[in-house]
Amino acid sequence: MGLDQYLNRMPRYKNATAREVSAIENYFDWLNAKKEGSEYADCTLKEWCGIDESELPSNDVIEFYKPFYKKRYSAWDTEHKYGYNRIMEQVGYWRKANQIHNWFVTNVQDGDDDCDYHHECTKEILENLLGVCKTVLDSCTMTYGKVHNGDKGTPNGWEPIYEDGKVVIDSSVAEELLPCCDGFFFGGCDYDEYYVNDIVDTIKILENVLAITDFETQAIYYVSSW
């Protein structure tokens, strides 16, 4: 339980959006489950996933994406143990990197934090975030200190757990460009080694996505869940 964040990549076709492709994925899941005789699929598409068949894109769009519906693996599943059928390919993953989530909500989702797909993350948007991350990382000089690493239940309620670690000496640039945000199980809001590690991981993710994506034929979208 907590904030999970994804960068998903899909082939471009006409003006199809990530929401439409996600609907097609649910449609294919439903058809497969019916074909396999699942009792849970003995229902309408709307009962299956909340989408009416009339809401699906046109047949030519569905047919275009059919060959792309195949076994995929999460970005963290490097050993490919937990496959699932999808059209969209997961090319980036974060766990409770709430400062990165906050940036996408502000710059891509028009401030709407609703676990849904919004605007496409263009090459320029991803390059912008990469530049911000590098600027913030350069500003984060660290020193030894106490870092917040979760909470524990006591007879007097929840109390924070602190351990030896590293903290950012001056977080003013980080707070201006990549501020943390509170949320239900969003992780900590301290400017410490965990915050910096998220920035380092984000730089690696973005550099890889920018290197392997053909933005003329593929589109990148951000989505989160908790």
PDB file of all heavy atoms in Angstrom, residues 148-176:
ATOM      1  N   HIS A 148      14.393  10.128   9.093  1.00  0.00           N
ATOM      2  CA  HIS A 148      13.120   9.511   9.467  1.00  0.00           C
ATOM      3  C   HIS A 148      12.918   8.262   8.616  1.00  0.00           C
ATOM      4  O   HIS A 148      12.890   8.338   7.392  1.00  0.00           O
ATOM      5  CB  HIS A 148      11.994  10.517   9.232  1.00  0.00           C
ATOM      6  CG  HIS A 148      10.647  10.005   9.594  1.00  0.00           C
ATOM      7  ND1 HIS A 148       9.483  10.518   9.064  1.00  0.00           N
ATOM      8  CD2 HIS A 148      10.244   9.013  10.450  1.00  0.00           C
ATOM      9  CE1 HIS A 148       8.449   9.887   9.570  1.00  0.00           C
ATOM     10  NE2 HIS A 148       8.878   8.967  10.406  1.00  0.00           N
ATOM     11  N   ASN A 149      12.780   7.115   9.257  1.00  0.00           N
ATOM     12  CA  ASN A 149      12.611   5.859   8.524  1.00  0.00           C
ATOM     13  C   ASN A 149      11.400   5.103   9.055  1.00  0.00           C
ATOM     14  O   ASN A 149      11.502   4.046   9.669  1.00  0.00           O
ATOM     15  CB  ASN A 149      13.872   4.997   8.634  1.00  0.00           C
ATOM     16  CG  ASN A 149      13.817   3.773   7.735  1.00  0.00           C
ATOM     17  OD1 ASN A 149      13.044   3.722   6.779  1.00  0.00           O
ATOM     18  ND2 ASN A 149      14.618   2.770   8.043  1.00  0.00           N
ATOM     19  N   GLY A 150      10.230   5.672   8.828  1.00  0.00           N
ATOM     20  CA  GLY A 150       9.004   5.000   9.225  1.00  0.00           C
ATOM     21  C   GLY A 150       8.534   5.386  10.614  1.00  0.00           C
ATOM     22  O   GLY A 150       9.113   6.256  11.279  1.00  0.00           O
ATOM     23  N   ASP A 151       7.475   4.712  11.053  1.00  0.00           N
ATOM     24  CA  ASP A 151       6.871   4.977  12.362  1.00  0.00           C
ATOM     25  C   ASP A 151       6.560   3.652  13.045  1.00  0.00           C
ATOM     26  O   ASP A 151       6.411   2.617  12.388  1.00  0.00           O
ATOM     27  CB  ASP A 151       5.592   5.801  12.203  1.00  0.00           C
ATOM     28  CG  ASP A 151       5.836   7.141  11.533  1.00  0.00           C
ATOM     29  OD1 ASP A 151       6.276   8.063  12.219  1.00  0.00           O
ATOM     30  OD2 ASP A 151       5.606   7.242  10.306  1.00  0.00           O
ATOM     31  N   LYS A 152       6.456   3.702  14.356  1.00  0.00           N
ATOM     32  CA  LYS A 152       6.121   2.494  15.108  1.00  0.00           C
ATOM     33  C   LYS A 152       4.958   2.782  16.046  1.00  0.00           C
ATOM     34  O   LYS A 152       4.784   3.901  16.548  1.00  0.00           O
ATOM     35  CB  LYS A 152       7.335   2.001  15.904  1.00  0.00           C
ATOM     36  CG  LYS A 152       7.821   2.984  16.958  1.00  0.00           C
ATOM     37  CD  LYS A 152       9.035   2.442  17.693  1.00  0.00           C
ATOM     38  CE  LYS A 152       9.545   3.460  18.735  1.00  0.00           C
ATOM     39  NZ  LYS A 152      10.745   2.940  19.445  1.00  0.00           N
ATOM     40  N   GLY A 153       4.151   1.745  16.255  1.00  0.00           N
ATOM     41  CA  GLY A 153       3.021   1.885  17.163  1.00  0.00           C
ATOM     42  C   GLY A 153       3.455   1.721  18.607  1.00  0.00           C
ATOM     43  O   GLY A 153       4.223   0.808  18.942  1.00  0.00           O
ATOM     44  N   THR A 154       3.005   2.583  19.461  1.00  0.00           N
ATOM     45  CA  THR A 154       3.299   2.520  20.898  1.00  0.00           C
ATOM     46  C   THR A 154       1.994   2.688  21.666  1.00  0.00           C
ATOM     47  O   THR A 154       0.964   3.077  21.093  1.00  0.00           O
ATOM     48  CB  THR A 154       4.290   3.633  21.304  1.00  0.00           C
ATOM     49  OG1 THR A 154       3.593   4.899  21.279  1.00  0.00           O
ATOM     50  CG2 THR A 154       5.486   3.683  20.363  1.00  0.00           C
ATOM     51  N   PRO A 155       2.014   2.427  22.969  1.00  0.00           N
ATOM     52  CA  PRO A 155       0.788   2.642  23.760  1.00  0.00           C
ATOM     53  C   PRO A 155       0.282   4.078  23.690  1.00  0.00           C
ATOM     54  O   PRO A 155      -0.909   4.335  23.917  1.00  0.00           O
ATOM     55  CB  PRO A 155       1.233   2.285  25.184  1.00  0.00           C
ATOM     56  CG  PRO A 155       2.354   1.310  24.986  1.00  0.00           C
ATOM     57  CD  PRO A 155       3.077   1.778  23.755  1.00  0.00           C
ATOM     58  N   ASN A 156       1.183   4.999  23.329  1.00  0.00           N
ATOM     59  CA  ASN A 156       0.796   6.410  23.240  1.00  0.00           C
ATOM     60  C   ASN A 156       0.495   6.850  21.809  1.00  0.00           C
ATOM     61  O   ASN A 156       0.346   8.044  21.533  1.00  0.00           O
ATOM     62  CB  ASN A 156       1.909   7.286  23.817  1.00  0.00           C
ATOM     63  CG  ASN A 156       2.138   7.033  25.290  1.00  0.00           C
ATOM     64  OD1 ASN A 156       1.186   6.839  26.047  1.00  0.00           O
ATOM     65  ND2 ASN A 156       3.399   7.010  25.702  1.00  0.00           N
ATOM     66  N   GLY A 157       0.441   5.870  20.889  1.00  0.00           N
ATOM     67  CA  GLY A 157       0.177   6.198  19.490  1.00  0.00           C
ATOM     68  C   GLY A 157       1.398   5.970  18.619  1.00  0.00           C
ATOM     69  O   GLY A 157       2.384   5.354  19.041  1.00  0.00           O
ATOM     70  N   TRP A 158       1.338   6.475  17.386  1.00  0.00           N
ATOM     71  CA  TRP A 158       2.438   6.295  16.443  1.00  0.00           C
ATOM     72  C   TRP A 158       3.565   7.271  16.743  1.00  0.00           C
ATOM     73  O   TRP A 158       3.330   8.451  16.997  1.00  0.00           O
ATOM     74  CB  TRP A 158       1.945   6.507  15.011  1.00  0.00           C
ATOM     75  CG  TRP A 158       1.035   5.427  14.532  1.00  0.00           C
ATOM     76  CD1 TRP A 158      -0.319   5.421  14.537  1.00  0.00           C
ATOM     77  CD2 TRP A 158       1.436   4.169  13.993  1.00  0.00           C
ATOM     78  NE1 TRP A 158      -0.809   4.238  14.042  1.00  0.00           N
ATOM     79  CE2 TRP A 158       0.259   3.442  13.686  1.00  0.00           C
ATOM     80  CE3 TRP A 158       2.669   3.577  13.736  1.00  0.00           C
ATOM     81  CZ2 TRP A 158       0.271   2.166  13.148  1.00  0.00           C
ATOM     82  CZ3 TRP A 158       2.694   2.300  13.193  1.00  0.00           C
ATOM     83  CH2 TRP A 158       1.506   1.601  12.915  1.00  0.00           C
ATOM     84  N   GLU A 159       4.791   6.723  16.738  1.00  0.00           N
ATOM     85  CA  GLU A 159       5.965   7.552  16.970  1.00  0.00           C
ATOM     86  C   GLU A 159       6.966   7.343  15.843  1.00  0.00           C
ATOM     87  O   GLU A 159       7.136   6.216  15.345  1.00  0.00           O
ATOM     88  CB  GLU A 159       6.618   7.202  18.314  1.00  0.00           C
ATOM     89  CG  GLU A 159       5.757   7.546  19.520  1.00  0.00           C
ATOM     90  CD  GLU A 159       6.467   7.250  20.832  1.00  0.00           C
ATOM     91  OE1 GLU A 159       7.631   6.787  20.783  1.00  0.00           O
ATOM     92  OE2 GLU A 159       5.854   7.496  21.899  1.00  0.00           O
ATOM     93  N   PRO A 160       7.645   8.418  15.411  1.00  0.00           N
ATOM     94  CA  PRO A 160       8.607   8.298  14.305  1.00  0.00           C
ATOM     95  C   PRO A 160       9.849   7.499  14.708  1.00  0.00           C
ATOM     96  O   PRO A 160      10.259   7.505  15.865  1.00  0.00           O
ATOM     97  CB  PRO A 160       8.964   9.759  13.996  1.00  0.00           C
ATOM     98  CG  PRO A 160       8.707  10.494  15.274  1.00  0.00           C
ATOM     99  CD  PRO A 160       7.535   9.807  15.904  1.00  0.00           C
ATOM    100  N   ILE A 161      10.401   6.813  13.728  1.00  0.00           N
ATOM    101  CA  ILE A 161      11.652   6.077  13.917  1.00  0.00           C
ATOM    102  C   ILE A 161      12.766   6.860  13.228  1.00  0.00           C
ATOM    103  O   ILE A 161      12.657   7.193  12.055  1.00  0.00           O
ATOM    104  CB  ILE A 161      11.567   4.661  13.307  1.00  0.00           C
ATOM    105  CG1 ILE A 161      10.435   3.868  13.959  1.00  0.00           C
ATOM    106  CG2 ILE A 161      12.902   3.930  13.438  1.00  0.00           C
ATOM    107  CD1 ILE A 161      10.156   2.541  13.256  1.00  0.00           C
ATOM    108  N   TYR A 162      13.825   7.155  13.956  1.00  0.00           N
ATOM    109  CA  TYR A 162      14.959   7.868  13.385  1.00  0.00           C
ATOM    110  C   TYR A 162      16.194   6.977  13.446  1.00  0.00           C
ATOM    111  O   TYR A 162      16.388   6.210  14.391  1.00  0.00           O
ATOM    112  CB  TYR A 162      15.231   9.175  14.137  1.00  0.00           C
ATOM    113  CG  TYR A 162      14.180  10.228  13.886  1.00  0.00           C
ATOM    114  CD1 TYR A 162      13.130  10.412  14.785  1.00  0.00           C
ATOM    115  CD2 TYR A 162      14.225  11.025  12.753  1.00  0.00           C
ATOM    116  CE1 TYR A 162      12.144  11.370  14.550  1.00  0.00           C
ATOM    117  CE2 TYR A 162      13.249  11.992  12.507  1.00  0.00           C
ATOM    118  CZ  TYR A 162      12.225  12.155  13.416  1.00  0.00           C
ATOM    119  OH  TYR A 162      11.260  13.098  13.172  1.00  0.00           O
ATOM    120  N   GLU A 163      17.013   7.073  12.401  1.00  0.00           N
ATOM    121  CA  GLU A 163      18.245   6.289  12.351  1.00  0.00           C
ATOM    122  C   GLU A 163      19.352   7.164  11.782  1.00  0.00           C
ATOM    123  O   GLU A 163      19.106   8.208  11.175  1.00  0.00           O
ATOM    124  CB  GLU A 163      18.059   5.041  11.495  1.00  0.00           C
ATOM    125  CG  GLU A 163      17.699   5.338  10.051  1.00  0.00           C
ATOM    126  CD  GLU A 163      17.462   4.087   9.231  1.00  0.00           C
ATOM    127  OE1 GLU A 163      17.091   3.043   9.810  1.00  0.00           O
ATOM    128  OE2 GLU A 163      17.634   4.172   7.997  1.00  0.00           O
ATOM    129  N   ASP A 164      20.584   6.710  11.990  1.00  0.00           N
ATOM    130  CA  ASP A 164      21.723   7.450  11.447  1.00  0.00           C
ATOM    131  C   ASP A 164      21.692   7.420   9.929  1.00  0.00           C
ATOM    132  O   ASP A 164      21.396   6.390   9.309  1.00  0.00           O
ATOM    133  CB  ASP A 164      23.035   6.846  11.945  1.00  0.00           C
ATOM    134  CG  ASP A 164      23.242   7.049  13.444  1.00  0.00           C
ATOM    135  OD1 ASP A 164      22.674   8.030  13.974  1.00  0.00           O
ATOM    136  OD2 ASP A 164      23.939   6.233  14.065  1.00  0.00           O
ATOM    137  N   GLY A 165      21.991   8.553   9.323  1.00  0.00           N
ATOM    138  CA  GLY A 165      22.002   8.635   7.870  1.00  0.00           C
ATOM    139  C   GLY A 165      22.563   9.961   7.417  1.00  0.00           C
ATOM    140  O   GLY A 165      23.371  10.567   8.112  1.00  0.00           O
ATOM    141  N   LYS A 166      22.106  10.416   6.270  1.00  0.00           N
ATOM    142  CA  LYS A 166      22.580  11.681   5.727  1.00  0.00           C
ATOM    143  C   LYS A 166      21.396  12.588   5.400  1.00  0.00           C
ATOM    144  O   LYS A 166      20.356  12.119   4.945  1.00  0.00           O
ATOM    145  CB  LYS A 166      23.419  11.455   4.467  1.00  0.00           C
ATOM    146  CG  LYS A 166      24.760  10.778   4.737  1.00  0.00           C
ATOM    147  CD  LYS A 166      25.591  10.671   3.460  1.00  0.00           C
ATOM    148  CE  LYS A 166      26.946  10.056   3.754  1.00  0.00           C
ATOM    149  NZ  LYS A 166      27.787   9.979   2.513  1.00  0.00           N
ATOM    150  N   VAL A 167      21.588  13.878   5.636  1.00  0.00           N
ATOM    151  CA  VAL A 167      20.548  14.871   5.360  1.00  0.00           C
ATOM    152  C   VAL A 167      21.132  15.966   4.482  1.00  0.00           C
ATOM    153  O   VAL A 167      22.348  16.172   4.436  1.00  0.00           O
ATOM    154  CB  VAL A 167      19.992  15.478   6.664  1.00  0.00           C
ATOM    155  CG1 VAL A 167      19.315  14.410   7.504  1.00  0.00           C
ATOM    156  CG2 VAL A 167      21.098  16.162   7.459  1.00  0.00           C
ATOM    157  N   VAL A 168      20.257  16.649   3.775  1.00  0.00           N
ATOM    158  CA  VAL A 168      20.684  17.753   2.911  1.00  0.00           C
ATOM    159  C   VAL A 168      20.944  18.985   3.775  1.00  0.00           C
ATOM    160  O   VAL A 168      20.112  19.364   4.602  1.00  0.00           O
ATOM    161  CB  VAL A 168      19.595  18.059   1.857  1.00  0.00           C
ATOM    162  CG1 VAL A 168      19.998  19.273   1.013  1.00  0.00           C
ATOM    163  CG2 VAL A 168      19.368  16.840   0.963  1.00  0.00           C
ATOM    164  N   ILE A 169      22.103  19.612   3.588  1.00  0.00           N
ATOM    165  CA  ILE A 169      22.478  20.772   4.398  1.00  0.00           C
ATOM    166  C   ILE A 169      21.573  21.964   4.089  1.00  0.00           C
ATOM    167  O   ILE A 169      21.039  22.616   4.987  1.00  0.00           O
ATOM    168  CB  ILE A 169      23.954  21.141   4.156  1.00  0.00           C
ATOM    169  CG1 ILE A 169      24.872  20.011   4.647  1.00  0.00           C
ATOM    170  CG2 ILE A 169      24.310  22.458   4.856  1.00  0.00           C
ATOM    171  CD1 ILE A 169      26.336  20.221   4.313  1.00  0.00           C
ATOM    172  N   ASP A 170      21.406  22.274   2.817  1.00  0.00           N
ATOM    173  CA  ASP A 170      20.579  23.406   2.389  1.00  0.00           C
ATOM    174  C   ASP A 170      19.593  22.897   1.338  1.00  0.00           C
ATOM    175  O   ASP A 170      19.979  22.605   0.209  1.00  0.00           O
ATOM    176  CB  ASP A 170      21.459  24.514   1.806  1.00  0.00           C
ATOM    177  CG  ASP A 170      20.649  25.730   1.358  1.00  0.00           C
ATOM    178  OD1 ASP A 170      19.410  25.699   1.478  1.00  0.00           O
ATOM    179  OD2 ASP A 170      21.255  26.696   0.858  1.00  0.00           O
ATOM    180  N   SER A 171      18.330  22.806   1.707  1.00  0.00           N
ATOM    181  CA  SER A 171      17.311  22.235   0.819  1.00  0.00           C
ATOM    182  C   SER A 171      16.516  23.299   0.070  1.00  0.00           C
ATOM    183  O   SER A 171      15.480  22.995  -0.512  1.00  0.00           O
ATOM    184  CB  SER A 171      16.351  21.358   1.616  1.00  0.00           C
ATOM    185  OG  SER A 171      15.657  22.129   2.589  1.00  0.00           O
ATOM    186  N   SER A 172      16.983  24.538   0.056  1.00  0.00           N
ATOM    187  CA  SER A 172      16.193  25.627  -0.522  1.00  0.00           C
ATOM    188  C   SER A 172      15.921  25.412  -2.010  1.00  0.00           C
ATOM    189  O   SER A 172      14.807  25.669  -2.488  1.00  0.00           O
ATOM    190  CB  SER A 172      16.894  26.972  -0.298  1.00  0.00           C
ATOM    191  OG  SER A 172      18.206  26.970  -0.853  1.00  0.00           O
ATOM    192  N   VAL A 173      16.924  24.958  -2.777  1.00  0.00           N
ATOM    193  CA  VAL A 173      16.718  24.711  -4.204  1.00  0.00           C
ATOM    194  C   VAL A 173      15.755  23.547  -4.405  1.00  0.00           C
ATOM    195  O   VAL A 173      14.846  23.609  -5.244  1.00  0.00           O
ATOM    196  CB  VAL A 173      18.060  24.435  -4.913  1.00  0.00           C
ATOM    197  CG1 VAL A 173      17.829  24.036  -6.373  1.00  0.00           C
ATOM    198  CG2 VAL A 173      18.969  25.650  -4.846  1.00  0.00           C
ATOM    199  N   ALA A 174      15.943  22.492  -3.637  1.00  0.00           N
ATOM    200  CA  ALA A 174      15.049  21.332  -3.725  1.00  0.00           C
ATOM    201  C   ALA A 174      13.615  21.722  -3.400  1.00  0.00           C
ATOM    202  O   ALA A 174      12.668  21.308  -4.092  1.00  0.00           O
ATOM    203  CB  ALA A 174      15.525  20.230  -2.788  1.00  0.00           C
ATOM    204  N   GLU A 175      13.437  22.525  -2.357  1.00  0.00           N
ATOM    205  CA  GLU A 175      12.090  22.928  -1.958  1.00  0.00           C
ATOM    206  C   GLU A 175      11.433  23.831  -2.991  1.00  0.00           C
ATOM    207  O   GLU A 175      10.203  23.838  -3.125  1.00  0.00           O
ATOM    208  CB  GLU A 175      12.144  23.632  -0.607  1.00  0.00           C
ATOM    209  CG  GLU A 175      12.514  22.702   0.541  1.00  0.00           C
ATOM    210  CD  GLU A 175      12.559  23.423   1.878  1.00  0.00           C
ATOM    211  OE1 GLU A 175      11.529  24.051   2.232  1.00  0.00           O
ATOM    212  OE2 GLU A 175      13.606  23.376   2.552  1.00  0.00           O
ATOM    213  N   GLU A 176      12.248  24.567  -3.740  1.00  0.00           N
ATOM    214  CA  GLU A 176      11.696  25.446  -4.772  1.00  0.00           C
ATOM    215  C   GLU A 176      11.357  24.690  -6.051  1.00  0.00           C
ATOM    216  O   GLU A 176      10.285  24.889  -6.637  1.00  0.00           O
ATOM    217  CB  GLU A 176      12.695  26.551  -5.099  1.00  0.00           C
ATOM    218  CG  GLU A 176      12.222  27.483  -6.213  1.00  0.00           C
ATOM    219  CD  GLU A 176      13.255  28.511  -6.619  1.00  0.00           C
ATOM    220  OE1 GLU A 176      14.345  28.544  -6.008  1.00  0.00           O
ATOM    221  OE2 GLU A 176      12.989  29.276  -7.568  1.00  0.00           O
TER     222      GLU A 176
END
